Amino acid sequence: MHKVPLFINGSNFSSQSDSRIAVHNPADNSVIAEVPNTTEAEIDLAVKAAADAFKTWRQVPVVERARVMMTYQALLKQHQDEIAELLSHDTGKVIADARGELWRGIEVVEQAINMPSLLMGETVENVARNIDTASYLQPLGVCVGITPFNFPAMIPLWMFPLAIAAGNTFILKPSEQDPLVPMRLAELFTEAGCPDGVLNVVHGGKEQVEQLLAHGDVRAVSFVGSVPVGQHVYRTATANMKRAQCLAGAKNHMVIMPDANKDQVINNLIGAGMGAAGQRCMAISVAIFVGEAEAWIDQLAEAISKIRPGLWNDTDAAFGPVISARAKARIVQLIAQGKKEGANCLLDGSMFTLPGHDNGHWVGPTLFRDVTPDMSIYREEIFGPVLCCLCVESLDEAIALINNNPFGNGTSIFTASGATARQFRFEAEVGQVGINVPIPVALPFFSFTGWKQSFYGDLHAYGKEGVRFYTQAKTVTTRWFADEANSGPNMTIRLQE
């Protein structure tokens, strides 16, 4: 049995905790590792290591910090096959999807290499006579990242490379359901030249998160996960005077106009709705067919019926299992509820099993039509390979559906009309919009800009907003006295001119 260690002060650290969590392979439910519930003393040790390292790391020139990132991204590319295979075993993802996830994380590391430019402040000469003003971006201190199970490589890489390149130190608390990839990321980061204590990894559940949220030496918390937990993390962190950036749930819609390319619509809906077994916060879970496009639903059903889940190394498999028995039970329950509430289930994957892997957490592709906004399968984030189809008569009706939804992570439209696309882009009250792009996750020189109940905080993840989240501005106003006559005291608030 592999007992997953902590990673504190530059090396693996064997936890003394008596409480451990089993890590399961989702494909067959076998136990592949045990992860400790980090003790209170060990959390304090990790925070102290990060706080001590911050004193020297913040003084390392930004170009040297950027060089660490350059080495790190090279190591990630060198080890990409190893990491992707580990990720597949940890999450059940098919290997192509695992590689794709890792590369989306590597792109953020590449953006962190640009930190010398990203940290440039502003200056104005002669704001008043012989007075100049400049602003600087300086690091906060110890930052914490709390990451979910569905992207154990990408989302940690959204967080700690930017934070550390900006001069902070970091404590990562990955999901207890798949901790092996985050541990490997930390080991490679040390190999890239990261000094001891700059990056630390602790494990556990709610108790460990609560301790980090309350710790007096933690300055900022970045979280990705469900709505209830995201709300709690945001409230708790801010109540403890910390910055918080919490990415939460989603219910993402794709609008299909009758003038769209039908084959492109069907192919993109399958990938965006079923990829990663639907376990993406940017997955398309609702398809809105406008007008005559409704006729395409039967062809969509036929195309989806031809895909199937499978093992990570099965090149014909479209996706793998869902993460846990609990996740599967919830998805199956919602499918049953959808049928009970009157939705027409064209494809039902709730009884799917993979021969030889009957204990795995398998859910087959599922498709509903005649869904209405009051149904549970529309209102709740299913987080499984389930696509709901609604039909409306106009673009205005489609936009109203999207804007009435409490979530605002992402949405997309497929159309051949520039005017239609512009109206949709302008009127959709959603943070990330795709035009003939199903999953509009921006590259990391932009930011991940979820709205409404999909995000709690003021500054979004990665991009320029991510850099600002991990830094604070210092404004310096300077005057050097020349041999000039003393004009006497200035008794007003204005600068002397």
Side-chain angles (χ1 to χ4, degrees):
M1 176 61 61
H2 174 54
K3 293 188 176 181
V4 181
L6 310 175
F7 191 84
I8 298 177
N9 211 22
S11 62
N12 289 338
F13 182 94
S14 181
S15 175
Q16 300 304 302
S17 175
D18 294 329
S19 173
R20 295 184 176 269
I21 305 167
V23 179
H24 294 263
N25 181 343
D28 59 12
N29 203 35
S30 61
V31 177
I32 58 176
E34 285 184 346
V35 65
N37 280 309
T38 309
T39 67
E40 183 175 343
E42 290 163 350
I43 293 279
D44 287 339
L45 184 65
V47 175
K48 184 179 187 304
D52 289 345
F54 176 67
K55 298 171 186 176
T56 53
W57 179 245
R58 67 175 307 211
Q59 298 183 39
V60 173
V62 64
V63 290
E64 292 185 26
R65 301 198 300 257
R67 289 186 192 119
V68 172
M69 299 301 159
M70 292 178 69
T71 304
Y72 188 46
Q73 59 92 20
L75 283 171
L76 291 173
K77 292 173 183 177
Q78 178 185 335
H79 291 270
Q80 62 180 297
D81 290 338
E82 169 209 337
I83 298 170
E85 185 171 335
L86 183 62
L87 196 156
S88 290
H89 287 294
D90 224 5
T91 65
K93 286 186 180 182
V94 296
I95 190 66
D97 194 26
R99 288 195 185 100
E101 174 189 338
L102 177 60
W103 268 93
R104 292 311 298 261
I106 290 173
E107 289 167 351
V108 180
V109 180
E110 291 174 337
Q111 179 68 354
I113 296 170
N114 296 323
M115 195 56 67
S117 296
L118 295 170
L119 285 183
M120 285 184 177
E122 300 170 322
T123 62
V124 175
E125 187 178 53
N126 247 30
V127 295
R129 192 170 302 279
N130 295 323
I131 295 178
D132 308 318
T133 299
S135 69
Y136 302 88
L137 295 179
Q138 296 190 337
L140 300 172
V142 179
C143 300
V144 166
I146 302 164
T147 59
F149 74 84
N150 57 330
F151 289 105
M154 183 182 76
I155 293 180
L157 292 174
W158 280 9
M159 296 178 183
F160 73 79
L162 281 180
I164 290 172
N168 300 284
T169 53
F170 205 88
I171 298 172
L172 176 65
K173 206 301 287 182
S175 170
E176 64 277 14
Q177 297 185 85
D178 47 12
L180 303 182
V181 169
M183 288 298 296
R184 187 66 181 126
L185 296 180
E187 291 167 357
L188 288 174
F189 196 53
T190 295
E191 187 177 332
C194 174
D196 294 350
V198 171
L199 175 63
N200 306 272
V201 184
V202 298
H203 303 291
K206 184 178 185 297
E207 182 180 341
Q208 286 68 33
V209 169
E210 295 293 343
Q211 186 179 347
L212 289 168
L213 295 179
H215 204 291
D217 287 336
V218 171
R219 297 293 307 281
V221 177
S222 187
F223 166 87
V224 178
S226 67
V227 171
V229 181
Q231 291 174 336
H232 174 75
V233 169
Y234 180 74
R235 292 189 183 111
T236 306
T238 53
N240 284 293
M241 306 303 292
K242 307 180 193 312
R243 286 192 184 181
Q245 173 194 76
C246 298
L247 287 70
K251 197 71 178 180
N252 306 313
H253 302 68
M254 178 193 288
V255 175
I256 299 100
M257 302 301 295
D259 63 356
N261 182 305
K262 179 172 63 174
D263 291 338
Q264 290 289 352
V265 166
I266 290 172
N267 287 333
N268 279 277
L269 260 178
I270 292 173
M274 304 294 158
Q279 297 174 120
R280 296 170 176 157
C281 66
M282 286 292 287
I284 294 295
S285 55
V286 178
I288 305 176
F289 291 84
V290 178
E292 296 175 358
E294 178 181 357
W296 303 352
I297 295 177
D298 289 338
Q299 189 171 336
L300 171 65
E302 181 182 357
I304 292 178
S305 71
K306 296 177 181 178
I307 69 169
R308 60 169 179 81
L311 298 176
W312 69 275
N313 56 354
D314 181 351
T315 56
D316 293 326
F319 55 88
V322 297
I323 190 65
S324 67
R326 180 180 178 183
K328 176 181 176 176
R330 181 178 180 276
I331 295 165
V332 169
Q333 187 273 328
L334 281 166
I335 292 172
Q337 187 70 14
K339 290 187 286 188
K340 181 178 179 181
E341 292 176 358
N344 183 1
C345 189
L346 301 180
L347 296 169
D348 183 354
S350 59
M351 300 301 291
F352 179 89
T353 57
L354 189 70
H357 293 77
D358 295 343
N359 292 329
H361 313 311
W362 302 98
V363 180
T366 301
L367 180 67
F368 283 100
R369 68 171 301 165
D370 304 324
V371 176
T372 59
D374 60 323
M375 293 180 178
S376 300
I377 53 173
Y378 179 82
R379 289 184 287 106
E380 296 193 37
E381 184 178 22
I382 302 174
F383 228 58
V386 181
L387 180 61
C388 299
C389 297
L390 285 75
C391 299
V392 297
E393 291 301 318
S394 69
L395 176 62
D396 289 341
E397 290 180 72
I399 293 173
L401 270 173
I402 293 167
N403 290 350
N404 287 331
N405 194 277
F407 298 110
N409 229 17
T411 189
S412 63
I413 187 169
F414 274 65
T415 180
S417 167
T420 298
R422 189 188 186 283
Q423 179 187 348
F424 183 80
R425 184 267 297 169
F426 184 76
E427 295 183 5
E429 296 171 3
V430 176
Q432 297 170 103
V433 176
I435 310 296
N436 298 318
V437 174
I439 302 179
V441 178
L443 289 170
F445 29 87
F446 292 93
S447 296
F448 189 97
T449 50
W451 285 9
K452 298 191 280 190
Q453 290 186 32
S454 293
F455 178 74
Y456 301 94
D458 299 307
L459 293 165
H460 291 93
Y462 63 79
K464 291 181 180 178
E465 289 199 36
V467 174
R468 291 306 298 263
F469 177 76
Y470 289 120
T471 57
Q472 54 193 346
K474 176 181 288 185
T475 304
V476 179
T477 302
T478 304
R479 177 174 63 190
W480 295 102
F481 293 104
D483 292 333
E484 60 202 34
N486 191 335
S487 59
N490 175 15
M491 305 303 295
T492 74
I493 195 171
R494 296 187 63 192
L495 292 174
Q496 287 182 330
E497 298 179 353

